[in-house]
Amino acid sequence: PDKEYICIGVKASNYFMPTETLSEKGPGGGGWILMDMTLAVKTREGKVWSKDEKGYPRIWAIGDCNYACVEGPGKPDDWPIPPIPKISYPGEEEAIIAMKNLEKVDKIVFHGQKTDKFGNPLEMATMHWPWGAGMFATSLGPHDACFVAGANWQKNSGLMCVWGAPCAVQKEIIEASKVNECAYGLVGRLIWHFVHHTPVHLFGGGPRWGY
């Protein structure tokens, strides 16, 4: 390439958490909150850190604060959750999963429910490598940008499918509509609501019938 941009400099700011719950490595030298497959905070020994007297987790870590992966044997490609980019899409997906797990714990502990409306056992939902984590719209100035889709945890994956001025417009639309959604605007909600509230998952690692 004619130019290569290396955008790094991420640093953890999780000083308020006990050392036993923070990673020893990772971007910026470590210090990220460790989580299990349900996004519950765990210790370096792999034990759930926030269990109540009945054994259910009560604290979850989502978004930029967490370790963004669940380690396992072998190389990162073989881990239960390979490293996830610290961008908005995975953070929002994690928020949905953590919220659903919180609601399930509430139903089990405080309402005595054991099954959902369809008779299925209430079980904690697990995180996955979200397909939307492989989409990046990167600004390269006021009138230039590039958009990569289809990337995953493997090196050199993904395809740059939009670039130049059209991508700069695309990024403006994304930002404006997301801000509108966060402000509970109608247009933003119509565009983005079902991105993370899809009732049926046909691909992407999520459960078939949603969370």
Side-chain angles (χ1 to χ4, degrees):
D2 296 329
K3 291 184 180 180
E4 182 176 350
Y5 297 86
I6 302 177
C7 303
I8 58 176
V10 180
K11 183 178 180 182
S13 184
N14 298 313
Y15 56 86
F16 53 90
M17 292 294 289
T19 303
E20 64 178 346
T21 65
L22 302 179
S23 69
E24 298 180 87
K25 53 187 177 181
W32 306 97
I33 300 175
L34 298 168
M35 78 284 189
D36 65 9
M37 291 295 293
T38 69
L39 299 173
V41 177
K42 70 176 184 179
T43 66
R44 292 176 179 176
E45 288 72 38
K47 299 178 180 179
V48 176
W49 176 71
S50 57
K51 285 194 296 187
D52 61 17
E53 64 277 3
K54 294 185 178 181
Y56 294 104
R58 292 301 183 91
I59 300 177
W60 293 263
I62 64 171
D64 286 354
C65 71
N66 71 29
Y67 190 32
C69 64
V70 174
E71 294 183 339
K75 298 180 179 179
D77 287 1
D78 302 320
W79 291 353
I81 301 180
I84 301 172
K86 290 185 175 296
I87 56 177
S88 61
Y89 184 99
E92 292 182 350
E93 188 81 354
E94 291 170 1
I96 292 294
I97 295 171
M99 179 193 69
K100 291 298 183 180
N101 285 339
L102 185 154
E103 290 178 347
K104 289 177 181 178
V105 170
D106 181 82
K107 290 176 181 178
I108 294 170
V109 175
F110 296 106
H111 300 277
Q113 298 181 22
K114 301 298 181 182
T115 60
D116 61 19
K117 296 178 180 179
F118 300 98
N120 300 311
L122 285 175
E123 299 176 345
M124 298 299 102
T126 57
M127 183 58 186
H128 56 280
W129 205 95
W131 63 270
M135 298 190 296
F136 306 88
T138 305
S139 178
L140 302 174
H143 307 295
D144 194 9
C146 62
F147 179 71
V148 174
N152 56 34
W153 57 89
Q154 297 176 327
K155 188 176 181 179
N156 297 322
S157 61
L159 176 68
M160 186 168 71
C161 48
V162 187
W163 58 89
C167 189
V169 174
Q170 175 192 19
K171 187 170 176 62
E172 290 292 331
I173 293 173
I174 292 173
E175 292 178 355
S177 58
K178 283 300 295 181
V179 170
N180 183 260
E181 181 202 22
C182 293
Y184 213 63
L186 177 62
V187 174
R189 284 184 291 150
L190 289 174
I191 293 174
W192 294 105
H193 177 78
F194 285 107
V195 171
H196 298 289
H197 295 83
T198 310
V200 179
H201 294 127
L202 300 179
F203 61 91
R208 177 67 68 202
W209 301 110
Y211 293 106

